[in-house]
Amino acid sequence: MRNSPVLGHLSRVLSGVALMVVAGALPWLSRTDPAAAVLRARYAELEPSPEALAAVRDELGLEGGPLDSSLRWWSGAVRGDFGTSWVSGGEVAPGVWRALGVSATLTLFAVCVALVVAAALVAPACRRVLRDRPQRGSGPVGVALTALPEFLLASALLVVVAVQLRWLPPYGWTGPDTAILPALSLGIPAGGLLGRLLADAVAGVAEERWVHVWRLSGAPRRVILAGVLRRAGAAVVDQLGFVLIGLLGGAVAVEQVFAIPGLGRHLLGSANAQDIPSLQAGVLVVAVAAALVGALTSLARRLLRGGPLPPGSLPPPPEPRGDGRLARWTAGTALALLLLILVTGLPRDPYTIAHPRLAAPSPALPFGADASGRDLLARVAHGTIGTLTPAFLIVLGAIVVGLLLAMLGEVSRGPAEIANATPPILAGVIVAALLGPSVAGAALAVLWVTWPPLTTHAASLVEEARAMPHVRWLPLAGVSSTEIWWRHVLPSTIPRLLRHGMLRLPGVALALAALGFLGLGAQPPLPEWGLLISEGIDYVERAPWTTAAPASALILTSVFAVALAGLRRRLPPNAPRRPSLTVREDAEVSIPASAV
Amino acid sequence: MCAGDGRRLLSIEELDVAAGERVVVTGPSGSGKSLLLSTLAGRWPAGLRFTGERRASFTRLGTIPQRGLDALHPLSPLGRQLRKVTGRRPDEVVSALAAVGLTDPDLRRRRPAELSGGQAQRAAVALAVLTGAPLVLADEPTSALDHEARDRVLELFDSVIGEQQTLVVVTHDPAVAEALATRHLTLEAGVLAEIPARSGEVARP
Amino acid sequence: MSDAELTVAQVSAVHGRGGRARQALAPTTLEIRAGESVAVVGPSGAGKSTLADIVLGLRPPASGEVRVSGTAWCTPGSLPDRRRRRLVQGVSQDPTASFVPRWTIRRSIEQAVRRLTGETDAADRIRQAAELAHLSPELLDRRTTALSGGQAQRAAIARALAVRPAVLVADEPTSALDPATARSVCAALFASAAETGTALLLVTHDPELAARCTRTVRIVAPAQHR
């Protein structure tokens, strides 16, 4: 029963309905009293007297429960009426449509950039297929392109190209030239990820037996290449969705950096102002976009695979050879440098204002001082703790959730799909709007996007453990099913799940930092990487070290994450390969470090 | 011919295979059977050194692996992929598939991932026939099949693979040699030895 | 015949669900009395191992009923009660299936005896079972990974017999062994079943092995839909 497909569909439908209710009831769910918020925003001079509050409540129609306000909102939304803003009192809808237009244009440009980057990364692998040369991994270029989170790349491009070189306008949305930098910041990481996935898949597929057989049979080269590309595409098509979702989330950060009046900035602005109706409309549009992405992905899957296949009949392509040593070295170096920052910086004081403002780096102050005169080395080192501790707790929480849901089987299908389609930044925006920005809220948002891959993995591990011959035969020895779970299935599952979770740790830290950068996570004066970068970015011309120090810590983490993801494909030397067991194809989704 | 990486893995004084022969090479695992096939195909695994000479006068080669699926693109419909790979006309593909017992038009539209092991093995035979290659190499073509399916595939080998096509099979299953061989070789620790046809049994042409 | 230890009545099995469902075992009927041995033969894909799993109570049948010692054992809706598991034991194609890899053979057998019979001191039973299965006692303190295939299979027989089952199911018990070892394991299997009067259900594709049983039941491949 726990794996019946009916349950899966039921779970999808129920989750969809729940999502719609929650979206409609956002004003009601908001922690702050909406009436007070509206009063404060519109009539700053008015005393929040009970009469005034009641009048506002009446005007907004906030009486009644969540279901009531939800129904009311949806009945307006289907007619294109998203309600009135709490802040301006104007109609929400026109602003949302305008923002959508801007974002759609930007996304189009970004997709073009991504396709060019991806094609450039896949080309060498294709050439090797055509020339019948042995394949290699995608190499350091692909890793470098994916290692930079969008908000960091955007900041770097802004500083170097727009501010220092003055080649392009630094912000706004006034003409084609203003779209170049944002499109690059969005498209390069997405294209890098896509290209790397595809290049690795092409390299793996090229080693499959049929390629060899076809070649010996005298098949034309273009037929072989087309076959390889189709097979590789089918292997990575599920991850295509992740890349596009990543683009949606990245857009929030990039629009913020370049001050582009798109949907992302609209969402962020609404969240910061706690203008829930405005946020609601934006979320709805993004949800529709995410659903479109899902439909697009399944269309691509259908084109490449041609309909569902019996389970287990399509083995994943072999992993490409090579790049293991390079990945180990990269990961090792990044980790060592991070530890160095940690060891030297932790004994120092991150809060005391003891130095000249924006003091330049010197032997006494290796990273310089920030705008308030605080020691940056200390702040970055303490930021490591401040970023990694929540990340660690998030991963542990995700493992627990994953195991629980894996036991429930198909019941978790619906929530998992919705969570998978949520960019972490969007989750952060919603949580921050409801609970106010805080580390806990950001952690909750990141947890929401972290559990699905761990649940999928846990489910396949549990399935694998239950299929082991001795576990299957335990009932013969009179062992109850509860005991089989606790003493035989879980002990063989948890260690591998922990390992997977630890590999996700850097990615989770990056997502937290992205939220911090947007002001949705940790609040000043807490030292947290994302927050440190956003504090420093205002002074980047006078004192570039204020951003360089936290950014380099972040890049090190990012490089570490990507290198680890490369390492993960290698089995530990003594782990038995069990090809006879069913492992779901999507069991381990590689960490898209830039999908934050 | 010999190939080796320090140790000598395979050493063959001379092996001449005539057109139309059905050569079966048997030997225990690790005796160099796969390496022999690589040598015949002219593709050696990386890290091996090859000395000697390989005289061959063909550019196309039919290959039948242990699992038929390994010879086929898992996602491309069977009929279409045979057409594309071999460049043959649709009716030729249909008749080749019919010859191996895959007559159902529905099977031609299926993707190999949807075929059973026996069906995929037959499709691999059809592919080898359609290439029209003078030499067909088969690597343990029956070890993944049960007895009945094995017997059917062996019959196919004899009936379908053309008179002008030479077949070389390596296997650890002596039954294959009995059923098929016009010439039986054994391979032990990299050394080939000929087993003379048993008296009373006339080698088939 | 009500004196049969094992009755399999019109038992069939289905793999998968909904549109993908296909019959894995055509309705099968057989009976085994105490001391008898019955060989189940048939082409691959006919559902021989599925039948073994159903009789072992590891999966429920899609239709029909299995009765052990005269009472219901498993039916489409239910698997056997845990307290009655003692009655049917098995030997698998893969001898490691009978043992938890990180436990010694002795510990695995002890645990089974304790749970299935309620006896706290299993030493006597273990010694007897090892004798029956021709397993030298010093091997009892090893793990399956440290045993050869033949030794592990004998240990599996010992484990199954230690709880004195009424029915012993052997699913291709020799297919993973070389011919000489297979012969000696078979000898141990038949001898021990005969000595204890256990009804033996032997799933095999080997005609020689089937010939040594009291009777042979041939099952046919289920009709394919595709």
Side-chain angles (χ1 to χ4, degrees):
Chain A
M1 190 60 203
R2 58 182 270 281
N3 284 324
S4 106
V6 180
L7 214 57
H9 290 309
L10 195 68
S11 158
R12 278 192 195 115
V13 171
L14 284 181
S15 315
V17 171
L19 187 73
M20 285 166 79
V21 169
V22 169
L26 276 181
W28 190 87
L29 287 168
S30 167
R31 191 194 54 158
T32 48
D33 180 359
V38 171
L39 202 65
R40 200 168 52 242
R42 286 197 212 159
Y43 320 103
E45 72 283 4
L46 222 65
E47 275 296 304
S49 64
E51 299 82 53
L53 286 176
V56 173
R57 267 199 205 102
D58 200 37
E59 186 198 328
L60 296 175
L62 285 167
E63 304 304 323
L67 215 57
D68 188 46
S69 39
S70 187
L71 277 178
R72 191 140 15 91
W73 185 73
W74 275 105
S75 65
V78 291
R79 290 191 312 258
D81 171 19
F82 291 125
T84 47
S85 162
W86 285 0
V87 175
S88 67
E91 285 275 308
V92 168
V96 171
W97 295 132
R98 229 178 2 257
L100 178 64
V102 172
S103 281
T105 319
L106 174 59
T107 311
L108 198 69
F109 283 137
V111 167
C112 292
V113 172
L115 288 180
V116 170
V117 171
L121 283 176
V122 178
C126 290
R127 210 160 35 235
R128 283 195 285 269
V129 170
L130 282 178
R131 298 195 182 150
D132 190 12
R133 294 269 181 283
Q135 291 284 348
R136 286 175 302 200
S138 53
V141 180
V143 173
L145 286 182
T146 36
L148 231 46
E150 286 95 347
F151 73 92
L152 212 54
L153 183 61
S155 312
L157 284 177
L158 178 76
V159 168
V160 176
V161 180
V163 176
Q164 306 214 311
L165 298 174
R166 295 180 189 280
W167 285 351
L168 290 164
Y171 50 76
W173 187 255
T174 47
D177 53 343
T178 48
I180 294 175
L181 288 182
L184 285 178
S185 333
L186 264 179
I188 288 176
L193 184 62
L194 190 65
R196 207 158 60 90
L197 287 171
L198 200 57
D200 281 352
V202 165
V205 168
E207 306 287 325
E208 285 189 327
R209 273 298 296 270
W210 63 266
V211 180
H212 185 72
V213 173
W214 280 25
R215 210 169 256 142
L216 289 176
S217 308
R221 284 175 185 181
R222 54 177 173 78
V223 170
I224 296 177
L225 181 62
V228 167
L229 280 178
R230 178 171 184 190
R231 171 88 173 94
V236 301
V237 67
D238 287 323
Q239 311 224 7
L240 180 73
F242 285 95
V243 175
L244 291 176
I245 295 287
L247 216 55
L248 277 182
V252 177
V254 169
E255 286 173 13
Q256 176 69 6
V257 171
F258 290 104
I260 294 168
L263 211 50
R265 199 142 178 270
H266 172 94
L267 283 171
L268 206 59
S270 323
N272 282 336
Q274 303 211 316
D275 185 357
I276 306 287
S278 175
L279 179 79
Q280 243 177 331
V283 167
L284 179 67
V285 172
V286 174
V288 170
L292 276 180
V293 165
L296 210 66
T297 313
S298 54
L299 186 74
R301 187 186 300 122
R302 170 116 204 133
L303 276 179
L304 288 166
R305 289 195 190 162
L309 283 169
S313 63
L314 186 65
E319 298 295 352
R321 286 175 295 195
D323 99 334
R325 224 173 58 152
L326 183 70
R328 251 198 316 278
W329 270 101
T330 319
T333 315
L335 185 64
L337 288 174
L338 275 176
L339 284 177
L340 184 69
I341 294 178
L342 210 55
V343 168
T344 49
L346 274 187
R348 304 162 80 109
D349 180 1
Y351 292 112
T352 318
I353 299 168
H355 308 278
R357 295 184 67 231
L358 299 175
S362 63
L365 271 177
F367 285 178
D370 71 359
S372 313
R374 290 172 296 199
D375 180 355
L376 263 174
L377 174 60
R379 286 185 69 74
V380 170
H382 283 262
T384 314
I385 305 291
T387 313
L388 287 184
T389 312
F392 187 72
L393 294 177
I394 290 169
V395 166
L396 284 189
I399 288 175
V400 171
V401 171
L403 268 176
L404 288 176
L405 289 178
M407 289 186 203
L408 294 177
E410 287 288 328
V411 174
S412 63
R413 166 78 57 187
E417 281 178 4
I418 289 176
N420 254 337
T422 321
I425 289 187
L426 188 64
V429 165
I430 298 171
V431 171
L434 295 180
L435 305 177
S438 67
V439 179
L444 198 66
V446 178
L447 175 62
W448 170 247
V449 297
T450 309
W451 68 265
L454 281 162
T455 304
T456 318
H457 192 199
S460 74
L461 284 177
V462 162
E463 208 171 284
E464 192 178 317
R466 286 160 59 100
M468 287 206 289
H470 81 269
V471 175
R472 238 170 61 79
W473 274 50
L474 278 171
L476 281 186
V479 183
S480 70
S481 45
T482 337
E483 199 185 336
I484 292 177
W485 265 105
W486 283 111
R487 291 191 58 186
H488 299 278
V489 174
L490 286 187
S492 72
T493 309
I494 288 177
R496 289 164 71 187
L497 213 50
L498 271 176
R499 188 166 156 268
H500 177 185
M502 287 311 116
L503 288 171
R504 284 194 178 269
L505 191 64
V508 168
L510 286 180
L512 278 177
L515 290 176
F517 176 79
L518 294 173
L520 299 172
Q523 296 301 306
L526 267 183
E528 192 269 345
W529 289 343
L531 191 59
L532 288 181
I533 295 178
S534 74
E535 282 171 0
I537 205 135
D538 296 338
Y539 307 96
V540 74
E541 279 172 273
R542 267 196 294 160
W545 53 88
T546 48
T547 16
S552 48
L554 205 60
I555 291 171
L556 283 177
T557 314
S558 186
V559 167
F560 184 56
V562 176
L564 269 187
L567 273 184
R568 185 169 45 163
R569 301 205 210 91
R570 300 159 57 85
L571 286 174
N574 50 3
R577 269 185 183 272
R578 284 188 161 274
S580 58
L581 290 172
T582 51
V583 176
R584 292 185 190 175
E585 270 175 63
D586 52 346
E588 287 199 24
V589 178
S590 73
I591 312 167
S594 59
V596 290
Chain B
M1 283 195 228
C2 77
D5 61 342
R7 292 175 302 134
R8 182 162 286 206
L9 297 176
L10 183 68
S11 86
I12 302 163
E13 280 303 319
E14 188 166 9
L15 176 62
D16 279 319
V17 185
E21 270 191 309
R22 307 281 186 259
V23 183
V24 177
V25 183
T26 53
S29 51
S31 59
K33 292 199 298 281
S34 305
L35 207 55
L36 174 67
L37 281 189
S38 310
T39 307
L40 290 176
R43 294 175 71 96
W44 295 276
L48 290 187
R49 200 163 45 82
F50 169 79
T51 55
E53 191 189 359
R54 175 177 169 275
R55 282 187 296 269
S57 54
F58 49 81
T59 48
R60 297 185 154 209
L61 197 62
T63 314
I64 301 167
Q66 189 171 348
R67 290 164 9 106
L69 269 182
D70 285 343
L72 304 165
H73 190 295
L75 296 172
S76 175
L78 183 59
R80 193 166 55 178
Q81 81 168 282
L82 293 190
R83 222 165 44 233
K84 282 196 160 175
V85 171
T86 60
R88 296 292 190 110
R89 291 193 311 275
D91 57 303
E92 289 175 308
V93 171
V94 170
S95 63
L97 281 172
V100 296
L102 302 176
T103 36
D104 191 351
D106 174 50
L107 282 173
R108 286 200 295 276
R109 281 192 295 271
R110 265 193 222 168
R111 291 158 289 171
E114 295 172 291
L115 299 177
S116 74
Q119 287 169 337
Q121 197 62 289
R122 286 149 178 271
V125 175
L127 174 61
V129 172
L130 279 169
T131 55
L135 180 61
V136 176
L137 302 178
D139 184 4
E140 302 276 4
T142 56
S143 63
L145 304 175
D146 61 34
H147 289 267
E148 286 166 51
R150 182 190 72 184
D151 292 345
R152 283 200 300 264
V153 166
L154 286 181
E155 270 170 42
L156 273 182
F157 274 10
D158 217 30
S159 60
V160 175
I161 292 178
E163 296 252 312
Q164 289 312 307
Q165 286 187 304
T166 304
L167 177 66
V168 177
V169 184
V170 302
T171 178
H172 68 265
D173 185 357
V176 175
E178 251 167 60
L180 203 63
T182 60
R183 190 171 165 199
H184 186 180
L185 302 171
T186 59
L187 189 61
E188 195 119 9
V191 181
L192 268 182
E194 193 108 11
I195 297 206
R198 264 181 281 164
S199 56
E201 190 182 323
V202 183
R204 281 167 292 179
Chain C
M1 282 188 282
S2 56
D3 55 343
E5 280 298 349
L6 173 72
T7 311
V8 173
Q10 289 294 315
V11 162
S12 71
V14 173
H15 275 320
R17 283 191 194 82
R20 291 242 181 90
R22 61 178 186 84
Q23 199 171 35
L25 174 67
T28 301
T29 299
L30 61 88
E31 278 194 348
I32 312 180
R33 278 183 258 181
E36 264 191 333
S37 53
V38 169
V40 172
V41 297
S44 59
K48 297 193 294 286
S49 293
T50 310
L51 177 65
D53 278 358
I54 292 172
V55 172
L56 283 169
L58 293 177
R59 62 179 285 175
S63 69
E65 187 196 27
V66 180
R67 298 170 72 79
V68 173
S69 301
T71 44
W73 174 254
C74 65
T75 52
S78 71
L79 286 176
D81 187 77
R82 191 149 57 89
R83 280 158 302 195
R84 293 180 67 223
R85 286 276 187 188
R86 181 188 72 82
L87 290 173
V88 179
Q89 289 298 315
V91 179
S92 150
Q93 184 171 355
D94 173 7
T96 59
S98 299
F99 300 100
V100 176
R102 56 180 194 276
W103 290 353
T104 61
I105 304 289
R106 187 187 299 282
R107 177 151 182 224
S108 275
I109 304 183
E110 255 172 19
Q111 292 275 334
V113 168
R114 202 168 297 160
R115 284 163 201 278
L116 293 170
T117 67
E119 287 174 27
T120 43
D121 185 21
D124 266 357
R125 278 173 177 263
I126 294 176
R127 197 172 34 77
Q128 284 172 13
E131 242 168 65
L132 276 173
H134 304 208
L135 179 75
S136 38
E138 72 267 16
L139 297 180
L140 285 170
D141 292 306
R142 297 206 194 155
R143 294 181 175 79
T144 38
T145 43
L147 297 185
S148 71
Q151 288 169 337
Q153 201 56 288
R154 282 199 201 92
I157 297 173
R159 195 216 65 131
L161 293 176
V163 297
R164 294 178 192 144
V167 177
L168 180 63
V169 179
D171 182 6
E172 305 270 13
T174 58
S175 67
L177 306 175
D178 65 74
T181 319
R183 268 193 297 281
S184 80
V185 165
C186 261
L189 183 68
F190 278 107
S192 53
E195 205 166 312
T196 51
T198 313
L200 177 65
L201 178 76
L202 178 68
V203 170
T204 182
H205 66 267
D206 181 356
E208 259 175 61
L209 209 54
R212 297 177 61 176
C213 294
T214 329
R215 271 180 295 130
T216 296
V217 172
R218 179 171 293 278
I219 58 175
V220 290
Q224 292 295 328
H225 299 297
R226 315 209 312 179

